[in-house]
Amino acid sequence: MPERPTAVVFNDPALAGAILTIDLDAVRENYRRLKTRLGSAQCAAVVKANGYGLGAVEIAKALRGEGCQDFFVAHVGEGLSLRSALGSGPAIYVLNGLPPGSEDEAANASLVPVLNSLEQLAAWRATAHRLSRKLPAALQVDSGMSRLGMAPSEVDQLAGDANAFHGLDIVLVMSHLACADEPEHSANELQRQSFEALRSKLPAARASFANSSGIFLGKPFHFDLARPGVALYGANPTPGKENPMLPVVRLEAKVIQTREIGDGVGIGYGHAARARLDMRLATVSLGYADGWHRNAAGAAWFKGVRLPFAGRVSMDSIILDISALGQGVLKAGDLVEFIGPDQDVDDVAGFAGTIAYEILTGLGDRFERKYLGA
Ligand SMILES: *Cc1c(COP(=O)(O)O)cnc(C)c1O
């Protein structure tokens, strides 16, 4: 690893503009809650995209302590770094499969590729032959999402080919739900039936179907191994109902300065807002470069008081209307809450017109990151 230039000290707590706190005890509790729902089925953890932005290694280590044996990443590079952090033992599955040329490295790190196409299957079979050893694999079938996995016609082709899996140990057959967060959607049951039919044509292996929301569709959707991601990180897997998970993330930004402004004065870029009489403002050290969407007009909180945004979100700062606070209550250096007890990650996603997944994975790298329960 090349050494970092010493002038770049983003993670120095004294210098960061905002603090991201990740509660690993809450992640552990969320894992236990999902396991309780699953009953006899096992529970993996999806830690792709650096653990949805929260730190794949920290999350995976915490869940190892809860007995989690199966981790899913999206990219082979994510799998390699997770393997070196966790050591041998847990299974690490690569959801996107292996890009051509990465097979040997993946085999050496005992990664389990999710084979999504006949091409990926052929390449992994060839790798097993070349290395003269049996290699583990997961097979993904397309039960109706049309994203990744073998089509039903390809499954039929494989079922009729005695050599299709030669040299491979098929450890998992999986598929993914398109509409799991809409429990009434008819596609859920159709996909479930399609998955049942497809896997019956393939070698006997553990079956995996449910993501976070899929776990809440009930026992017929659980199969042998569930693959939750976002619910572990505190987002609501049951939209429209009370969130059954504990919050995991807290995001607080520092006040840079406060000011009083005169009636009618323009505020921020484009003068998109104008001051009212006796208005007080605070500018805080968080902006769209930190993953707060520019169009996510919303509010921050200080000691339970809502502080609405004034004007546009800038790259590195946001201006807050702090008139609701007494004079001098908020000072430079104080922390205001952007994600936390007063507004959760799903609320913030609502401001941005997106989903909690995108908010979490978009969280920037200029924060001081604190792990509770490490
Ligand atoms: C991302 C992903 C998951 C996890 O989904 P959540 O909705 O975050 O629980 C599970 N399976 C596959 C195939 C995925 O791509």
Side-chain angles (χ1 to χ4, degrees), residues 46 48 52 72 95 140 147 174-176 209-213 227-231 357:
V46 179
K48 61 193 179 188
Y52 291 44
F72 287 83
L95 288 166
Q140 175 146 232
R147 185 177 70 169
M174 60 170 278
S175 193
H176 193 50
F209 193 49
N211 67 336
S212 297
S213 294
R227 304 185 309 272
V230 83
Y357 299 72

Side-chain angles (χ1 to χ4, degrees), residues 19 47 92 96-97 128 251 269 271 281 288 311 316 325-326 339:
I19 301 173
V47 295
I92 300 175
N96 283 5
L251 177 60
Y269 281 124
H271 284 176
L281 302 176
Y288 59 76
D316 317 294
L325 292 171
I339 302 174

